[in-house]
Amino acid sequence: MQKISVLLFLAWVCFLYYAGIALFTSGFLLTRLELTNHSTCQEPPGPGSLPWGSQGEPRACWMASRFSRVVLVLIDALRFDFAQPQRSHMPGEPPVSLPFLGKLGSLQRILETQPHHARLYRSQVDPPTTTMQRLKALTTGSLPTFIDAGSNFASHAIVEDNLIKQLTSAGRRVVFMGDDTWKDLFPGAFSQAFFFPSFNVRDLHTVDNGILEHLYPTMDSGEWDVLIAHFLGVDHCGHKHGPHHPEMAKKLSQMDQVIQGLVERLENDTLLVVAGDHGMTMNGDHGGDSELEVSAALFLYSPTALFPSAPPEEPEVIPQVSLVPTLALLLGLPIPFGNTGEVMAELFSGSEDSQPHSSALAQATALHLNAQQVSRFLHTYSAATQDLQAKELHQLQNLFSKASADYQWFLQSPQGAEATLRTVIAELQQFLRGARAMCIESWARFSLVRMVGGAALLAAACFLCLLASQWTTSPGFPFRPLLLIPVAWGLAGAIVYAGLLATIGLKLDPVLLGAAAAMSSLPPFLWKAWAGWGPKRPLAMLLPFPGSVSLLMLFRLAAFFSDSFVVAEARATPFLLGSFVLLLVAQLHWEGQLLLPKLVTVPRLGSSSSAGLPRYGGAYALRLGIGLLLCTRLAGLFHRCPEETPACHSSPWLSPLASMVGGRAKNLWYGACVGALVALLAAVRLWLQRYGNLKSPEPPMLFVRWGLPLMALGTAAYWALASGADEAPPRLRALVAGASVVLPRAVAGLAVSGVVLLLWKPVTVLVKAGTGAPRTRTVLTPFSGPPTTQADLDYVVPQIYRHMQEEFRGRLERTKPQGPLTVAAYQLGSVYSAAMVTALTLLAFPLLLLHAERISLVFLLLFLQSFLLLHLLAAGIPITTPGPFTVPWQAVLAWALMATQTFYATGHQPVFPAIHWHAAFVGFPEGHDSSTWLPALLVGANTFASHLLFAVGCPLLLLWPFLCEGQGLRKTRKPPGNEAEARVRPEEEEPLMEMRLRDAPHHFSAALLQLGLKYLFVLGVQILACALAASILRRHLMVWKVFAPKFIFEALGFIVSSVGLLLGIALVMRVDGAVSSWFRQLVLAQQR
């Protein structure tokens, strides 16, 4: 079996999974159709004349404008309670002291002194609560779909009708300053703009200070009609420190001063709007739909009276999109075509002196225009797509027709009672709210055909992995036909599908094209597999799992169907891993498999002694198990609580050192982090030194000796700068900023250099050549003692024959004056594992830089856990020579469980608010300009670091038992320094360890393929379970909060893991090819 064929076969299996994931996702996470229609003044939203007072008025369109200017102050992540005063919950109790309470005191003073001029609302935000989606909602009045959250990295220009487009079409001068996201959403729309980079969440002041530099001069100049200022300091402070940090109080106090300065400069025809685009969690994150995230503040103020009555005791709750039609009509603009919001009728009531009849009529007029616009949108949208539910749409249209008829009748008979007008207002509000509710429900509809097809494709890929993993080790495995024929059928299926679409004139869908290719490639493989399986072999053999593995997998997969278990997975995974470890120790001890694999030597002819295997009792595995459980428990201390468990408290150790207030505690933690870094580096060097690879003069080992310490030094220096950047003296801040850019990039560059050297010279051995007697051959046997069966004799006789040949040849050579040239190669027995450990270490350092400093302790525990688990698994894996080699299912499942446990131990959760956005600025503190792929890559590497490391290191499950083969008998010896030391006695010969894999290259390749298929199967059934849970529970209350994010994270984690698995197996094959070349060069050198 050729090595490249193994990679191609695994790549084809990964493609099947990718196609299934893409097909299911296209049916589950739908995007709504964005209409390009626009509202205009020349085209009223419905039949009938324009409202009274709007004909002939300057700056009047559908309705006469009430304000000629608007100042919109958007304070990012201004949660509603940030605008509340510091008050006690119970009479007589002292007020609750929180850093963010009572800091916006100017709002409360205005509400108390000018109650008819101002209002504070609780703005209800539609999830996802990401900035770009909120800006879309605040300007278009539309509803984002769930998948739009993925666009937060790449903000594309808004094609729907929006307020900014209506303002520019009406000739209004729109001036913007702040978040540069607006530049991508509204390119060229502003008469004047001051954009500042927005994505650096560690920078609290650049954007806000830049706005303040231009805000008041722009207001005083008067060269504007709409002024928009988008402040980011509060949001960035939440991301960096959380809402309970003293820095949040400073930021809110700064915003309070901004509001005071604006109020003092407002003219009578100007409306001030202070709004938050979303809230934030207790940790300062956002993106989900928790109560704190969807609750934002909205404050309106005008020097002239706005409201006929005083504000209520409790602020009114309004949908955030209601601001869009309200501002449009107040400014005399058409309401954007796709708006689904309801006007805030209270703002059209007039001042406190207005008559009740005229106030109600003004409210009804605004609501009727709003209802006409929404009805027109529903009619146009339903004609373009079938997303809306026909029955509910018909009922809403009947309701609107009745309300519109009542309104028109009232206009023709104005002497009607006020009660009739109130009924019309209630009917119009009922229609608007019903239309919005229908849109929310309809745009969450699913394509069941695609979902079923995607799940079926995932299930078929899992079955393929299971079947092929059982088949690979058989002698007659038809590898090449099983690879070439399905690929050919897949290409043919894709071509036929594309040709069919071209014939009937339909648009080519890449997702369906990939699914067609994947589905076309499956039948020939399944048919060949069924024919090769044979009718007499029971189907039960397809389930080779031991009982413990089957029970554990069944429990884990069933947990994906419960929202409570998904939320508690961070606690359930360490429990499952610990239970599995204890079960494994007990099982190994019970079956008597706690043997340390080692080289077995058969005594030379004429000798009666035999070397037996020393049996290790249960204490050996018990020590490994206890150490593994202890590391798992310590890693669990670094936990992040999901927002659904308010009683849980997240670990404070997940926050960066810069967020700590006490200098002494910060220094102690910094010392602990550097200590963990040094311990990790020392452990890797000691391991390489123990197996002798560190003594190799090859470039990779030279890099390990000198390059890794430089990487550790650069990491420690970067941590020191990042934790104290805010405390640096002003004269050194430029130097600190420059070093914050150079150091992470230097560490990443060193890591890339080390990987290149490893790929160039992966064979890390020490070669000594000299003259002398040749070393005596050691006879390898899979049994202890003398042969007892015919099979044992068939195996040992050829080796004894070769042994005798070498003995006679050695005697003949010793009769010559000078012995033949002999070559002693050391560290060949660990050459594969040394390359893997080196590669993982080089990969771990850049990934560690993307995390908070204290996560270095988790990385140290990760390496220690992996070492203990590998030794525990190797203690019970028998080594069969010359093959086939296999890795049991227990080892693969335990490895996958540890990857999941490390994902949670590094402070992650499968929800969008828990994403570590700060990783995008490691090495790029000033942002990435217009680039989106690089920050996405950095954040993805931070999120799925555990998946990547464990997938790349998966081949260690196959290599480690061979590596442990000589443990116990292997002596620690220095490399020979002269010819005399090179004459090693037979009993001192190094065990072959991993070189035994080269005795059967076909079995070696088959074992790598089988390991890859098993790992893909374990990961594949997890993504299949998540897909089934999301589809079955698609109408569950928690589908968008729990099941959909879990599916997305599992899908992305599978993609990262599959790529890492291919890279890890490719590295092993590169080492194997280099070892083959090294042997060929050695033979040629001896022949010369």
Side-chain angles (χ1 to χ4, degrees):
M1 186 185 300
Q2 295 182 358
K3 303 178 184 65
I4 190 63
S5 300
V6 173
L7 287 177
L8 292 177
F9 193 89
L10 290 175
W12 171 58
V13 175
C14 292
F15 169 72
L16 297 180
Y17 279 110
Y18 298 161
I21 292 172
L23 185 60
F24 181 88
T25 303
S26 65
F28 180 61
L29 302 177
L30 295 176
T31 56
R32 63 178 177 84
L33 176 67
E34 294 184 344
L35 300 179
T36 57
N37 306 61
H38 294 85
S39 300
T40 61
C41 291
Q42 293 74 24
E43 184 181 357
S49 59
L50 290 173
W52 50 270
S54 63
Q55 293 91 346
E57 289 279 343
R59 290 193 170 183
C61 187
W62 293 357
M63 194 173 187
S65 63
R66 187 171 181 183
F67 296 97
S68 58
R69 289 183 171 185
V70 167
V71 177
L72 173 59
V73 178
L74 196 63
I75 302 178
D76 210 291
L78 183 64
R79 205 168 70 190
F80 173 72
D81 55 350
F82 290 179
Q84 287 185 309
Q86 197 166 22
R87 61 180 65 166
S88 60
H89 293 284
M90 299 293 293
E93 292 184 0
V96 179
S97 179
L98 293 173
F100 53 79
L101 287 180
K103 296 302 181 289
L104 297 179
S106 60
L107 302 186
Q108 192 64 26
R109 287 193 297 271
I110 294 173
L111 290 172
E112 293 174 353
T113 58
Q114 304 181 63
H116 297 282
H117 295 248
R119 279 290 188 277
L120 177 64
Y121 297 94
R122 181 194 291 266
S123 179
Q124 195 73 18
V125 178
D126 297 306
T129 51
T130 49
T131 296
M132 198 269 284
Q133 279 67 40
R134 295 298 90 228
L135 295 183
K136 279 187 174 182
L138 283 169
T139 54
T140 65
S142 61
L143 295 169
T145 52
F146 185 85
I147 196 63
D148 284 343
S151 303
N152 203 42
F153 267 122
S155 304
H156 300 290
I158 296 178
V159 298
E160 291 182 287
D161 195 9
N162 57 80
L163 279 177
I164 306 299
K165 186 180 291 294
Q166 291 293 341
L167 287 167
T168 55
S169 299
R172 308 290 180 91
R173 297 166 297 176
V174 183
V175 178
F176 176 83
M177 52 191 71
D179 187 348
D180 61 352
T181 305
W182 292 72
K183 178 173 62 175
D184 299 322
L185 295 176
F186 308 101
F190 304 111
S191 60
Q192 191 177 13
F194 306 95
F195 297 113
F196 302 96
S198 62
F199 206 56
N200 188 358
V201 294
R202 297 191 177 188
D203 185 0
L204 308 185
H205 308 293
T206 298
V207 177
D208 293 359
N209 293 341
I211 294 174
L212 295 176
E213 182 181 350
H214 301 283
L215 180 59
Y216 300 128
T218 302
M219 281 197 68
D220 297 337
S221 68
E223 298 179 355
W224 57 276
D225 295 309
V226 175
L227 178 59
I228 304 174
H230 188 165
F231 291 90
L232 289 176
V234 172
D235 177 69
H236 288 187
C237 184
H239 285 296
K240 184 176 181 180
H241 301 293
H244 296 85
H245 197 274
E247 282 294 329
M248 182 61 76
K250 296 179 183 179
K251 263 296 157 190
L252 291 174
S253 299
Q254 183 187 31
M255 294 298 100
D256 188 62
Q257 296 175 3
V258 171
I259 295 172
Q260 291 184 40
L262 291 174
V263 168
E264 295 170 357
R265 290 171 168 79
L266 288 181
E267 299 180 358
N268 291 336
D269 63 343
T270 306
L271 173 68
L272 173 65
V273 180
V274 179
D277 58 343
H278 51 73
M280 67 173 64
T281 65
M282 298 297 290
N283 297 321
D285 301 318
H286 58 88
D289 60 350
S290 66
E291 181 62 30
L292 294 177
E293 292 172 274
V294 300
S295 179
L298 175 62
F299 178 77
L300 303 179
Y301 172 77
S302 174
T304 58
L306 273 174
F307 306 96
S309 60
E313 184 176 350
E314 288 295 328
E316 182 183 354
V317 179
I318 62 166
Q320 187 183 56
V321 292
S322 297
L323 186 63
V324 175
T326 303
L327 287 180
L329 294 182
L330 288 176
L331 291 171
L333 298 172
I335 300 175
F337 189 90
N339 166 73
T340 59
E342 173 192 346
V343 293
M344 301 159 63
E346 189 180 20
L347 285 165
F348 298 89
S349 302
S351 63
E352 56 183 321
D353 300 329
S354 301
Q355 297 296 323
H357 179 81
S358 61
S359 297
L361 182 58
Q363 292 182 27
T365 302
L367 285 169
H368 185 253
L369 284 172
N370 188 189
Q372 284 182 316
Q373 169 264 317
V374 172
S375 176
R376 182 183 64 178
F377 166 72
L378 293 179
H379 177 76
T380 306
Y381 191 90
S382 62
T385 181
Q386 303 299 320
D387 287 351
L388 302 179
Q389 302 179 24
K391 183 178 179 181
E392 293 188 16
L393 182 62
H394 181 69
Q395 293 175 350
L396 286 172
Q397 292 294 359
N398 291 338
L399 178 61
F400 170 72
S401 299
K402 181 181 182 303
S404 182
D406 292 343
Y407 173 76
Q408 294 296 337
W409 178 84
F410 181 82
L411 290 181
Q412 296 172 4
S413 305
Q415 68 277 7
E418 183 179 344
T420 305
L421 196 56
R422 292 295 176 188
T423 302
V424 172
I425 292 175
E427 291 175 343
L428 291 171
Q429 289 177 333
Q430 182 183 358
F431 165 75
L432 289 169
R433 293 167 187 176
R436 185 169 182 271
M438 183 191 65
C439 290
I440 292 175
E441 183 180 358
S442 298
W443 288 334
R445 296 178 69 185
F446 310 96
S447 175
L448 293 180
V449 175
R450 293 196 176 201
M451 292 171 65
V452 171
L457 195 51
L458 288 173
C462 292
F463 179 73
L464 185 150
C465 288
L466 185 62
L467 182 62
S469 65
Q470 294 301 106
W471 205 4
T472 51
T473 55
S474 61
F477 180 63
F479 183 79
R480 191 177 299 275
L482 286 181
L483 176 63
L484 298 180
I485 295 177
V487 171
W489 275 71
L491 292 176
I495 293 172
V496 170
Y497 174 76
L500 182 62
L501 290 183
T503 302
I504 60 180
L506 294 180
K507 184 180 179 181
L508 183 65
D509 188 346
V511 173
L512 293 179
L513 181 64
M519 291 180 177
S520 301
S521 65
L522 276 172
F525 176 86
L526 297 177
W527 175 259
K528 185 73 175 177
W530 177 259
W533 187 259
K536 296 183 179 180
R537 300 178 68 179
L539 293 178
M541 293 181 63
L542 287 175
L543 299 176
F545 316 110
S548 58
V549 175
S550 302
L551 183 63
L552 188 65
M553 288 188 64
L554 182 62
F555 179 77
R556 174 159 172 74
L557 298 180
F560 290 132
F561 291 82
S562 169
D563 58 326
S564 300
F565 274 94
V566 173
V567 170
E569 189 181 16
R571 290 179 293 166
T573 303
F575 172 78
L576 290 177
L577 182 60
S579 303
F580 189 67
V581 168
L582 291 177
L583 184 62
L584 183 62
V585 172
Q587 182 179 357
L588 291 176
H589 181 63
W590 180 262
E591 296 176 356
Q593 296 182 14
L594 294 180
L595 301 176
L596 198 61
K598 53 179 281 295
L599 189 65
V600 183
T601 60
V602 171
R604 285 180 290 178
L605 297 179
S607 174
S608 60
S609 63
S610 63
L613 278 171
R615 181 176 294 274
Y616 283 73
Y620 171 71
L622 189 60
R623 288 195 299 269
L624 294 175
I626 292 176
L628 187 55
L629 293 176
L630 180 61
C631 291
T632 304
R633 184 67 186 92
L634 290 176
L637 299 177
F638 295 81
H639 67 280
R640 183 189 185 101
C641 295
E643 55 195 35
E644 292 83 5
T645 56
C648 176
H649 299 284
S650 298
S651 172
W653 304 337
L654 297 175
S655 59
L657 293 180
S659 63
M660 298 185 66
V661 179
R664 179 180 177 85
K666 182 188 294 187
N667 293 336
L668 291 175
W669 270 112
Y670 176 77
C673 296
V674 175
L677 198 65
V678 173
L680 177 61
L681 178 62
V684 173
R685 287 174 60 94
L686 287 175
W687 185 89
L688 292 172
Q689 186 176 6
R690 178 180 182 277
Y691 285 98
N693 298 90
L694 193 62
K695 301 172 184 177
S696 172
E698 297 295 338
M701 289 301 106
L702 294 178
F703 186 87
V704 169
R705 293 179 211 160
W706 304 105
L708 283 183
L710 287 178
M711 294 174 65
L713 182 62
T715 303
Y718 174 73
W719 286 346
L721 295 178
S723 61
D726 297 336
E727 305 168 3
R731 66 178 182 274
L732 296 179
R733 287 182 179 174
L735 180 62
V736 170
S740 300
V741 175
V742 173
L743 288 174
R745 297 184 184 183
V747 172
L750 285 172
V752 172
S753 303
V755 172
V756 171
L757 291 176
L758 184 63
L759 294 176
W760 176 43
K761 293 287 187 180
V763 181
T764 54
V765 298
L766 178 63
V767 179
K768 287 289 183 177
T771 58
R775 301 176 64 169
T776 306
R777 178 182 178 88
T778 300
V779 180
L780 303 178
T781 65
F783 51 86
S784 177
T788 58
T789 64
Q790 184 63 36
D792 294 344
L793 288 173
D794 293 340
Y795 181 84
V796 77
V797 166
Q799 296 203 47
I800 296 175
Y801 178 74
R802 288 193 294 269
H803 176 85
M804 295 173 64
Q805 280 185 320
E806 291 183 3
E807 284 287 334
F808 287 121
R809 185 182 300 113
R811 293 176 184 176
L812 292 174
E813 293 293 342
R814 282 193 292 271
T815 61
K816 298 180 181 180
Q818 187 177 11
L821 179 66
T822 60
V823 177
Y826 294 85
Q827 301 94 40
L828 268 174
S830 58
V831 65
Y832 296 101
S833 297
M836 292 297 302
V837 171
T838 304
L840 289 172
T841 307
L842 293 173
L843 184 60
F845 272 93
L847 294 176
L848 181 57
L849 268 179
L850 299 177
H851 290 78
E853 297 90 344
R854 287 176 278 192
I855 299 297
S856 60
L857 300 172
V858 179
F859 271 68
L860 178 61
L861 290 173
L862 180 155
F863 272 77
L864 184 57
Q865 272 183 291
S866 305
F867 175 81
L868 294 174
L869 180 63
L870 287 170
H871 270 274
L872 180 61
L873 295 171
I877 298 179
I879 298 177
T880 57
T881 304
F885 313 115
T886 184
V887 177
W889 285 99
Q890 296 94 318
V892 179
L893 181 59
W895 198 251
L897 274 177
M898 190 173 288
T900 303
Q901 184 254 341
T902 307
F903 170 79
Y904 288 106
T906 48
H908 295 97
Q909 284 281 339
V911 290
F912 292 107
I915 295 177
H916 300 174
W917 300 109
H918 64 83
F921 301 98
V922 176
F924 301 88
E926 301 300 326
H928 301 268
D929 297 329
S930 60
S931 173
T932 57
W933 67 267
L934 185 55
L937 180 65
L938 293 175
V939 173
N942 170 280
T943 305
F944 300 105
S946 62
H947 296 74
L948 184 60
L949 287 172
F950 278 92
V952 173
C954 189
L956 289 174
L957 294 173
L958 174 64
L959 302 174
W960 210 265
F962 296 92
L963 185 69
C964 298
E965 187 180 21
Q967 187 173 333
L969 288 182
R970 194 175 186 275
K971 297 181 179 180
T972 304
R973 295 180 282 108
K974 295 182 180 180
N978 51 50
E979 299 177 10
E981 294 180 8
R983 300 187 182 96
V984 185
R985 295 189 303 271
E987 59 270 22
E988 292 179 347
E989 184 177 357
E990 289 193 10
L992 293 181
M993 296 191 294
E994 293 175 354
M995 283 297 100
R996 296 178 64 176
L997 291 166
R998 292 192 50 81
D999 289 342
H1002 174 80
H1003 290 306
F1004 188 17
S1005 299
L1008 287 173
L1009 176 59
Q1010 185 188 54
L1011 175 61
L1013 291 172
K1014 286 183 177 181
Y1015 198 68
L1016 289 176
F1017 173 80
V1018 172
L1019 299 178
V1021 292
Q1022 292 181 182
I1023 185 64
L1024 175 61
C1026 289
L1028 292 176
S1031 57
I1032 295 173
L1033 303 173
R1034 61 186 180 276
R1035 295 301 179 188
H1036 192 277
L1037 179 65
M1038 305 293 286
V1039 62
W1040 300 117
K1041 190 176 185 64
V1042 175
F1043 297 110
K1046 178 62 176 175
F1047 167 75
I1048 292 175
F1049 275 78
E1050 282 291 337
L1052 294 175
F1054 176 86
I1055 294 173
V1056 173
S1057 298
S1058 60
V1059 172
L1061 178 66
L1062 294 176
L1063 293 177
I1065 293 178
L1067 176 60
V1068 174
M1069 293 182 173
R1070 170 70 184 102
V1071 177
D1072 189 60
V1075 171
S1076 300
S1077 301
W1078 182 84
F1079 272 119
R1080 285 196 299 267
Q1081 294 175 2
L1082 191 63
V1083 170
L1084 291 176
Q1086 285 185 312
Q1087 289 177 351
R1088 288 196 296 266

